[in-house]
Amino acid sequence: PTYVESARLLAARAIREGGPSSDSRITWGFRLLLARSPRPAELNVLTAALQRALVKYEADESAASQLTSIGESTVAEDVSVSELAAYTVVMSTLLNLDETVTRE
């Protein structure tokens, strides 16, 4: 639950602070977590993952609500639940990369 909640909060920040496009939002999260910009191939993979997740969660809003309700923090109400769920999937992917900068 902690990692899902962290990914959700990061997704909400990416939507608010990352710019208007999916590429800029994914790049924002990538730079925050990996301390570098994504290579074009990496951005393509993550953008495709976002699009698949958006299709899934737009078709099943209940699944989107279930994913975004994990954790104790309040859910962002200023973004659509399907968009938040899709970006949560992408941010979770970034958080789980071996290259992600973390502290022990």
Side-chain angles (χ1 to χ4, degrees), residues 48-91:
L50 175 68
Q51 293 308 314
R52 285 189 306 273
L54 272 171
V55 168
K56 173 185 176 179
Y57 290 120
E58 285 173 349
D60 187 357
E61 200 164 299
S62 133
S65 293
Q66 185 176 12
L67 175 65
T68 58
S69 67
I70 294 173
E72 296 179 10
S73 62
T74 58
V75 177
E77 295 181 10
D78 57 339
V79 296
S80 77
V81 69
S82 56
E83 184 178 34
L84 182 60
Y87 276 98
T88 297
V89 169
V90 172
M91 294 304 147

Side-chain angles (χ1 to χ4, degrees), residues 1-98:
T2 300
Y3 278 97
V4 175
E5 183 177 20
S6 297
R8 175 174 49 87
L9 292 170
L10 187 59
R13 281 189 62 198
I15 292 167
R16 286 188 200 107
E17 301 172 29
S21 72
S22 59
D23 284 357
S24 66
R25 292 170 177 176
I26 292 169
T27 298
W28 178 91
F30 200 100
R31 291 185 64 172
L32 183 69
L33 295 171
L34 281 79
R36 68 173 178 86
S37 294
R39 295 180 190 96
E42 293 168 325
L43 186 57
N44 289 340
V45 167
L46 293 167
T47 301
L50 175 68
Q51 293 308 314
R52 285 189 306 273
L54 272 171
V55 168
K56 173 185 176 179
Y57 290 120
E58 285 173 349
D60 187 357
E61 200 164 299
S62 133
S65 293
Q66 185 176 12
L67 175 65
T68 58
S69 67
I70 294 173
E72 296 179 10
S73 62
T74 58
V75 177
E77 295 181 10
D78 57 339
V79 296
S80 77
V81 69
S82 56
E83 184 178 34
L84 182 60
Y87 276 98
T88 297
V89 169
V90 172
M91 294 304 147
S92 178
T93 300
L94 293 177
L95 283 169
N96 283 289
L97 293 174
D98 287 340

